[in-house]
Amino acid sequence: MFSKQMWKYLFRKLIFLLITYIIATTIVFLLPRIIPGNPLSQILSRLSQVAQANPESIRAAEKNLMEEFGFGKPWYIQYFDFIIKALSGDLGTSISYYPRKVLDLIIPVLPWTLILLLPATITAWFLGNSLGAKAGYRRNSWIDKGVLTTSLIVSQIPYYWLGMILIYFFGVQLGILPVGGAYTQGHFPSFTWSFFFDALKHYILPFSSIVISAMGGWAIGMRLMVIYELGNDYVRFSEALGMKDKRIYRYVFRNSLLPQITGLALSLGGALGGALITEIIFNYPGTGFLLFKALTTLDYPLIQGIFVILIAAIYLANFVVDFVYALIDPRIRLGQEE
């Protein structure tokens, strides 16, 4: 069982995450309303075509829609309505896909984002830290110079630029990988090998763009941490005792890895932003692509619904990483006590 200190640490983390989640959802609620424009214009435009531009019908429809979406109410009333409905699992009705429910639109595309984001983030973290540790331990060697130079270059390349370069070379020039989408048009998602290999071909380029862009930053950070650890007394003492390099490297790697675990939790938010841009570039049918459509049509309920779910997923991941970190390093929870 967990100690009393551990329970206190987890309780504080939960309270902190709850407060920041409320602040984040409030900002998400207010920001779309600052953007000028009428969110109902798209529905009214469609209705005007059906109603043959009858002004009375259009005005009546607009009045009904204003009441249904609650846009005529003060913003704080709309906010509390939104919170109460969201707690009961109702994220409202989409404007651009009217009359479909927001949750019905998000659930089918959310797995595509998670399948792209989580493996890419973890792969970049693992590869970057492994290369950075090797480079730091072999400082000034050809491995160090190669890893450092490559990492500095790729870490400065934006997601969208790298994505377009990959599309140009592997999709347009070589023609060996698809330039967009999650699977070939005409195929339907199914648990078959043919669909799996088709989806894998579409997956390689967006996955690679996220991994390559993020990997450089992890390698640079890990290299610096290893170089710092090599200057500590325990390393010199271990060398004086004649301990093997392989064992010293294992101690140095383990101690350098702890800050990187915290960095992994913090990077999930940034990785999410990169994944959203990547989905737009590669026409990948995830939440980023859906969010892009929602933003271009001022679909307030859909924008709010996507962010509410994505922010909750990021906070949950942060909590899990903090929990693992506290289990690995008791100094973290003891530090909270002091």
Side-chain angles (χ1 to χ4, degrees), residues 206-255:
F207 173 83
S208 302
S209 69
I210 296 175
V211 171
I212 294 171
S213 294
M215 195 171 64
W218 289 118
I220 294 170
M222 189 61 175
R223 176 182 176 273
L224 291 175
M225 289 302 302
V226 168
I227 290 172
Y228 172 78
E229 285 293 326
L230 288 173
N232 283 332
D233 291 339
Y234 77 89
V235 175
R236 287 195 288 270
F237 185 67
S238 301
E239 288 173 342
L241 289 175
M243 194 176 289
K244 291 182 179 178
D245 270 5
K246 192 175 180 181
R247 194 167 182 183
I248 296 173
Y249 173 76
R250 196 161 60 238
Y251 288 142
V252 169
F253 181 76
R254 189 182 300 169
N255 290 333

Side-chain angles (χ1 to χ4, degrees), residues 105-114 116 180-183 189 195 202 206 275 278-280 282-291 293:
L105 292 167
I106 296 175
I107 287 176
V109 300
L110 187 60
W112 290 107
T113 294
L114 295 178
L116 178 64
Y183 48 85
F195 178 78
H202 289 77
T278 303
E279 286 177 8
I280 294 170
F282 287 96
N283 199 23
Y284 204 77
T287 50
F289 194 67
L290 189 64
L291 179 63
K293 288 183 177 178

Side-chain angles (χ1 to χ4, degrees), residues 112 178 182-203:
W112 290 107
Y183 48 85
T184 305
Q185 286 188 350
H187 286 199
F188 294 97
S190 60
F191 294 102
T192 60
W193 285 112
S194 62
F195 178 78
F196 172 77
F197 287 117
D198 184 58
L200 185 63
K201 284 173 62 180
H202 289 77
Y203 182 77

Side-chain angles (χ1 to χ4, degrees), residues 6 23-24 36 54 69 78 104 113 116 133 137 142-143 157 170 172-173 176-177 181 183 210 217 246 302:
M6 188 67 177
I23 294 172
N54 184 333
F69 287 100
Q78 293 183 46
D104 294 338
T113 294
L116 178 64
Y137 199 72
W142 66 269
I143 295 176
I157 300 176
F170 293 99
V172 178
Q173 290 295 322
I176 56 177
L177 291 171
Y183 48 85
I210 296 175
K246 192 175 180 181
L302 189 53

